[in-house]
Amino acid sequence: SINVMSTSSNVAQSQCVVDILEKIASKSGGQLNKDTAVVLTDENLLMPLLYALPEKFKKEQRNESGEVVNPAINVTMGYPLRNTLAYSFVERLLELQKHAQSGDDELNEPTFYYVDVDGLLSHPYIADVSTSQYSELRAEIVKHRMFQVPASMLTKSSLLEKLFRKTGNWLELSEYLLDVIDTVAIASESGEEKAFRSEFLAMVSEALSKLQSVVIQCNVAISEQIYASLVRRHLQAERVPFTGEPLEGLQVMGILETRNLDFKNVILLSMTDNN
């Protein structure tokens, strides 16, 4: 039995999947088992799907005797790190340092390009920490039509002090990235969003630490620009792994992972004639 459904967007697709899963679960006592698979022909659909799924399908549930009555989902595909907010945050930090200038006054106070400053202040990882305070700071920069924003203006909080400081070489840039990422991970709010954010930031931190160790072991002199290029190449090749139980629960996978597998219920997303 094949049913074809058309939707207007990826978000609508994800919600459609939830409706289908609800119907399948209602026929099996309200739970999903390993006989049901959601296949993503486009890896970019993974995050919209995970956000759309209700908690009862995502987390393992047990009864009073400790028996699993609803197993957690199992994601067998990696998610490209380059598609996450964590990667875009690192990009913002690299651009900030690229355009940062040393001050020409007696204090030698560094200044930062207003586009980079605004981009960081409006980034979800920063804006969510203190929305009103940072919005006021952005408004003040626009009001005074600042092209280069002095570092002294960007000291409204300890987080901003760590963000807006100038590095002098590749090693300082590496330590700067690691320090800022760790600070942002701690400052994140609790909840499901923090779980994803912490997972992505932890992977970025691990990747940057490995890259730093390799460059140090090679004992070669490189510039900040070359190191920034290495960071981009390294992170773009990384994929975020997801853990789960492959023998239980709803199975979420890419089209390549379905080879030699058989399921009773299969839901294909974005199955157009191009795929």
Side-chain angles (χ1 to χ4, degrees):
S1 176
I2 301 176
N3 297 314
V4 179
M5 304 177 69
S6 61
T7 59
S8 58
S9 66
N10 289 343
V11 175
Q13 272 194 95
S14 301
Q15 190 55 54
C16 225
V17 170
V18 174
D19 295 338
I20 296 172
L21 292 176
E22 291 280 9
K23 294 178 181 178
I24 295 175
S26 65
K27 297 178 181 179
S28 57
Q31 65 181 26
L32 296 170
N33 54 41
K34 61 183 179 181
D35 291 333
T36 301
V38 178
V39 181
L40 311 180
T41 60
D42 180 1
E43 60 188 10
N44 294 319
L45 292 170
L46 180 58
M47 295 312 296
L49 175 65
L50 293 180
Y51 279 115
L53 288 175
E55 290 298 315
K56 64 180 180 180
F57 291 156
K58 290 191 289 187
K59 293 186 177 180
E60 183 182 89
Q61 298 178 4
R62 297 175 178 269
N63 56 23
E64 295 180 355
S65 60
E67 298 176 342
V68 176
V69 295
N70 194 13
I73 65 172
N74 177 55
V75 181
T76 58
M77 60 184 294
Y79 188 69
L81 187 62
R82 65 179 180 273
N83 293 344
T84 67
L85 282 174
Y87 178 78
S88 70
F89 183 61
V90 173
E91 278 284 359
R92 295 285 190 186
L93 295 175
L94 293 176
E95 287 298 305
L96 178 78
Q97 294 300 326
K98 177 182 177 181
H99 300 133
Q101 297 182 3
S102 299
D104 53 5
D105 55 7
E106 294 181 358
L107 298 176
N108 197 30
E109 181 182 14
T111 60
F112 303 95
Y113 186 38
Y114 80 98
V115 173
D116 300 327
V117 174
D118 186 73
L120 272 173
L121 293 177
S122 60
H123 193 280
Y125 282 10
I126 303 301
D128 291 350
V129 176
S130 182
T131 305
S132 59
Q133 184 184 36
Y134 297 161
S135 296
E136 292 174 0
L137 181 56
R138 293 173 61 199
E140 187 176 351
I141 294 172
V142 173
K143 178 181 178 181
H144 294 89
R145 299 181 179 180
M146 293 182 174
F147 188 76
Q148 290 292 131
V149 185
S152 58
M153 187 178 178
L154 304 169
T155 56
K156 303 292 184 181
S157 67
S158 58
L159 174 58
L160 292 188
E161 289 181 1
K162 289 191 174 184
L163 273 177
F164 298 105
R165 66 179 193 268
K166 190 177 183 305
T167 59
N169 53 55
W170 78 265
L171 186 56
E172 287 185 10
L173 176 58
S174 180
E175 294 293 345
Y176 163 80
L177 293 175
L178 290 170
D179 185 27
V180 171
I181 288 171
D182 290 343
T183 303
V184 170
I186 295 174
S188 302
E189 297 181 357
S190 60
E192 181 183 18
E193 176 63 27
K194 181 176 181 179
F196 284 122
R197 182 176 300 185
S198 298
E199 182 76 20
F200 297 152
L201 288 175
M203 187 164 186
V204 170
S205 181
E206 181 181 357
L208 291 177
S209 297
K210 290 180 179 178
L211 179 60
Q212 177 179 302
S213 298
V214 169
V215 176
I216 291 176
Q217 290 175 8
C218 290
N219 194 26
V220 293
I222 62 174
S223 64
E224 284 189 83
Q225 291 75 19
I226 292 178
Y227 181 72
S229 178
L230 291 175
V231 168
R232 290 187 173 97
R233 287 174 177 269
H234 189 49
L235 294 183
Q236 287 173 3
E238 293 288 329
R239 300 180 73 86
V240 182
F242 290 85
T243 58
E245 175 51 61
L247 301 179
E248 296 292 343
L250 174 66
Q251 305 294 306
V252 179
M253 57 186 63
I255 195 73
L256 294 178
E257 285 81 13
T258 61
R259 290 173 294 185
N260 297 325
L261 298 178
D262 186 23
F263 298 95
K264 182 178 180 181
N265 307 301
V266 179
I267 304 171
L268 285 167
L269 276 71
S270 289
M271 195 59 183
T272 64
D273 52 2
N274 292 328
N275 296 319

